[in-house]
Amino acid sequence: MIKKPYVISNVGMSLDGKLATVNNDSRISCEEDLIRVHKIRSNVDGIMVGIGTVLKDDPRLTVHKIKSDKNPVRIVVDSKLRIPLNARVLNKEAKTIIATTEDSDEEKEKKIKILEDMGVEVVRCGRGKVDLKKLMEILYEKGIKSILLEGGGTLNWGMFKEGLVDEVSVYIAPKIFGGKDAPTYVDGEGFKTVDECVKLELKNFYKLGEGIVLEFKVKK
């Protein structure tokens, strides 16, 4: 068993499991849910997203919906180092770690140097794509003992596939988006059988604003 942070996967989605419409309109959460998420953010050591979320939404990944005296470390999983240098997640409001691969070329090395000069920490693990298990070990060694996973469908799939998620918190909005190409909570290749899938134990549920929150423990 590797030493890793406790990972909470949080998502706001439509009733049909979509994170956004086919045109990337992601206005799902109500104000009450945004406050709930920021309360979770204020109680963890890190917030982790994939590069797809950064490119689509340009999030700050800070605590700003509630009063808090701390911002978690922001962690972006970015295998091909596509992050724009003007992305808001690179601002000075909080520490940022970019996780990329050990693959190297001249252009990538130049970009890493720029990021490091900006005060961003770059962590390398894995070839071809980031080794998520190794990343969790590295983050744990850096003192990050809890993470709020706010990834898109690709990163969520990788984390669930590797058995790295401990808890799931879902806000379901009373909306139906449809669209076979609309992003979903967990994408990727998917499990082939029910026996292989991630199994959850419902711990709590409650109405929030116009939607409902479901809280699960991941069965190990």
Side-chain angles (χ1 to χ4, degrees), residues 28-160:
I28 293 175
S29 296
C30 60
E31 188 65 23
E32 294 92 337
D33 184 53
L34 292 174
I35 291 170
R36 177 189 70 87
V37 173
H38 281 253
K39 284 180 179 177
I40 301 175
R41 285 183 177 184
S42 70
N43 287 310
V44 295
D45 299 323
I47 305 172
M48 188 163 77
V49 299
I51 184 59
T53 297
V54 173
L55 294 174
K56 277 193 236 177
D57 301 333
D58 194 21
R60 291 158 60 187
L61 298 184
T62 56
V63 180
H64 53 268
K65 290 289 183 181
I66 62 170
K67 288 185 178 179
S68 176
D69 57 2
K70 91 166 202 181
N71 276 312
V73 176
R74 302 172 293 192
I75 305 147
V76 180
V77 178
D78 185 3
S79 295
K80 295 181 180 178
L81 205 63
R82 293 186 291 155
I83 191 162
L85 294 175
N86 63 347
R88 294 201 299 172
V89 75
L90 302 179
N91 65 28
K92 302 294 185 183
E93 293 180 45
K95 177 182 173 65
T96 300
I97 294 175
I98 305 293
T100 192
T101 62
E102 297 168 54
D103 305 309
S104 179
D105 58 45
E106 186 177 347
E107 185 177 339
K108 184 174 184 178
E109 296 305 317
K110 284 181 180 177
K111 191 167 186 180
I112 288 174
K113 177 67 165 58
I114 293 170
L115 288 166
E116 290 176 339
D117 287 345
M118 292 169 64
V120 175
E121 183 175 355
V122 179
V123 168
R124 305 188 202 210
C125 50
R127 294 280 184 181
K129 63 179 181 178
V130 170
D131 183 330
L132 294 173
K133 282 187 175 179
K134 182 62 178 175
L135 175 60
M136 290 297 104
E137 291 179 322
I138 292 170
L139 294 174
Y140 188 88
E141 289 170 3
K142 291 181 178 295
I144 298 174
K145 301 299 193 289
S146 57
I147 287 175
L148 179 60
L149 174 62
E150 296 190 23
T154 301
L155 178 58
N156 288 341
W157 161 250
M159 292 290 286
F160 278 115

Side-chain angles (χ1 to χ4, degrees), residues 191-199:
F191 295 107
K192 303 212 171 22
T193 69
V194 173
D195 290 337
E196 294 176 304
C197 78
V198 175
K199 297 169 182 67

